Amino acid sequence: QVQLVESGGGSVQPGGSLRLSCTASGFDFSTYPMNWVRQAPGKGFEWVSGITMAGDKTSYRDSVKGRFTISRDNAKSTLYLQMNRLQSEDTAIYYCTSFHHWGQGTQVTFSS
């Protein structure tokens, strides 16, 4: 059974940091490029970041460049997203995906 399980979301103050994790099972994680996609309240899905199979190349949407870092550990079948200097505009449910497989999402919200 294919599973992608995200964790690490929560409530954070503006300027804070969170590290999201996504653990894969049921498929060969190392053979898929992986991505983080988010959906803000009332909005559509928005691609955030991607990483190659080997983890040697990464890409980001402009609004998160310099603040977010994607990485992966193929030995642990785990994808990460380090998010720093979080802004209220980053409020969303974050999904990890190969675009063939999707996780259930983890929510990032802001506290005043």
Side-chain angles (χ1 to χ4, degrees), residues 42-77:
K43 296 188 177 181
F45 288 97
E46 177 179 85
W47 175 83
V48 175
S49 180
I51 188 167
T52 54
M53 290 183 286
D56 55 339
K57 293 182 181 179
T58 58
S59 54
Y60 303 90
R61 69 180 301 104
D62 286 347
S63 62
V64 308
K65 282 180 182 177
R67 300 189 297 121
F68 289 11
T69 303
I70 189 172
S71 61
R72 67 191 295 163
D73 184 338
N74 286 340
K76 296 181 179 179
S77 295

Side-chain angles (χ1 to χ4, degrees), residues 1-111:
Q1 181 183 0
V2 171
Q3 277 194 310
L4 288 169
V5 180
E6 298 97 335
S7 60
S11 182
V12 63
Q13 291 188 336
S17 297
L18 285 173
R19 188 193 195 203
L20 306 183
S21 299
C22 171
T23 301
S25 60
F27 69 102
D28 190 348
F29 177 78
S30 66
T31 64
Y32 287 84
M34 292 297 296
N35 302 270
W36 288 97
V37 171
R38 66 188 180 187
Q39 186 177 30
K43 296 188 177 181
F45 288 97
E46 177 179 85
W47 175 83
V48 175
S49 180
I51 188 167
T52 54
M53 290 183 286
D56 55 339
K57 293 182 181 179
T58 58
S59 54
Y60 303 90
R61 69 180 301 104
D62 286 347
S63 62
V64 308
K65 282 180 182 177
R67 300 189 297 121
F68 289 11
T69 303
I70 189 172
S71 61
R72 67 191 295 163
D73 184 338
N74 286 340
K76 296 181 179 179
S77 295
T78 301
L79 179 71
Y80 303 99
L81 186 67
Q82 177 67 44
M83 305 188 295
N84 298 327
R85 291 185 280 132
L86 282 160
Q87 304 168 357
S88 57
E89 300 77 44
D90 298 316
T91 296
I93 299 173
Y94 285 73
Y95 300 89
C96 73
T97 179
S98 64
F99 296 130
H100 297 271
H101 318 107
W102 288 78
Q104 84 291 345
T106 187
Q107 189 158 27
V108 174
T109 58
F110 283 82
S111 59

